[in-house]
Amino acid sequence: MDEVLVSAPAKLNLRLVVGPVRPDGYHPLRTLMVALDGLCDDVVVRRAGARSVACPGVAERDNLAWRALEALEGAVGRPLPVHVEITKRIPAQAGLGGGSSDAAATLVGVDRLYGLGLGPDRLEEIAAAVGSDVPFFVRGGVRWAGGRGEVLAAADPVAFAAVLVKPPVGLPTGAVYHTFDRLGVPPPDDGATRAPSMPRLAAWVRNDLWPAALALAPALGAPARALAGAGARRVLLCGSGSCLAGLCDDAAHARAVAERLPPAVRPLAVVEPVRA
Ligand code: C5P
């Protein structure tokens, strides 16, 4: 085997409960993460003489896939030269986890290509050194995440569809968390562990970073109102933004909402949870 292709899906946080900043600068989270069908990057990992990462619009060494390769080589203690080629569809600074998903796909791809036999548990450990969201994408599916995002636990399947809208503004994760710190602590976590089905899911979702994202980018208000006006049951900020998800009952409802959006608010994708 000289080459493997790994699909790198986007994710949505159906709940993102954020606590006060820790001494290490990270925030404790309790979040329900869902890998999405309908929006993914493609990651091809090829045997090569030296390490390289090709990804339009991202400098090679800034790419989380590059950092993933460094972390993997450090963990196994030998060079694993590969060429990684990433076809991007998931926008950056959108809160959809695109860079993290590419990094996890790279780890999975190199494990397979070199027959390392590390498996998901070990890959999740290595992924935690690359970024808070990277461990989730090693397995994907639906998972509760704690810690700074890297402590994963099983979750029940969820059913919904969503229209994603990517406003022109991008939001850097660190800046959103810093603004969160200025805005005061959100209400306590109710400890819910089971997501209800739609339409009750629409009332259950929560993203504590929304006030911070809106304070940094008031332009998010107009597309959020447009999604609600087009019939989405609830509008949810994706991760730390800036992408917005209009939650819908099913794919047909989501496609109808996408069609009703005003011309200035172009849908990015209609998505559903990845099926197990
Ligand atoms: O872990 P990652 O590199 O993806 O995090 C990017 C930035 O987001 C961190 O430097 C930190 O400012 C913020 N962050 C946070 N709490 C988390 C995850 C990320 O404050 N749980």
Side-chain angles (χ1 to χ4, degrees), residues 82-254:
V82 286
H83 174 65
V84 179
E85 203 166 307
I86 302 175
T87 305
K88 287 299 290 175
R89 295 186 203 91
I90 307 171
Q93 298 200 339
L96 295 167
S100 300
S101 191
D102 297 343
T106 301
L107 293 175
V108 169
V110 179
D111 186 35
R112 263 189 232 156
L113 192 66
Y114 275 94
L116 302 175
L118 294 171
D121 287 345
R122 184 80 184 98
L123 289 178
E124 281 176 6
E125 279 172 29
I126 298 166
V130 184
S132 306
D133 281 349
V134 184
F136 164 74
F137 286 108
V138 169
R139 283 187 170 89
V142 187
R143 312 265 276 163
W144 281 100
R148 63 182 166 89
E150 86 286 21
V151 182
L152 299 168
D156 292 325
V158 286
F160 66 91
V163 183
L164 301 182
V165 165
K166 171 67 182 71
V169 59
L171 284 173
T173 307
V176 177
Y177 277 104
H178 284 132
T179 306
F180 170 89
D181 293 337
R182 283 198 290 104
L183 292 183
V185 185
D189 189 358
D190 65 4
T193 54
R194 269 202 84 142
S197 305
M198 288 295 285
R200 280 189 302 134
L201 180 69
W204 183 85
V205 298
R206 163 172 170 175
N207 185 339
D208 289 352
L209 297 177
W210 171 238
L214 192 60
L216 275 175
L220 296 184
R225 282 190 297 275
L227 275 166
R233 298 227 184 260
R234 178 84 181 265
V235 181
L236 183 67
L237 181 75
C238 299
S240 57
S242 63
C243 198
L244 299 168
L247 291 183
C248 297
D249 298 338
D250 52 32
H253 179 204

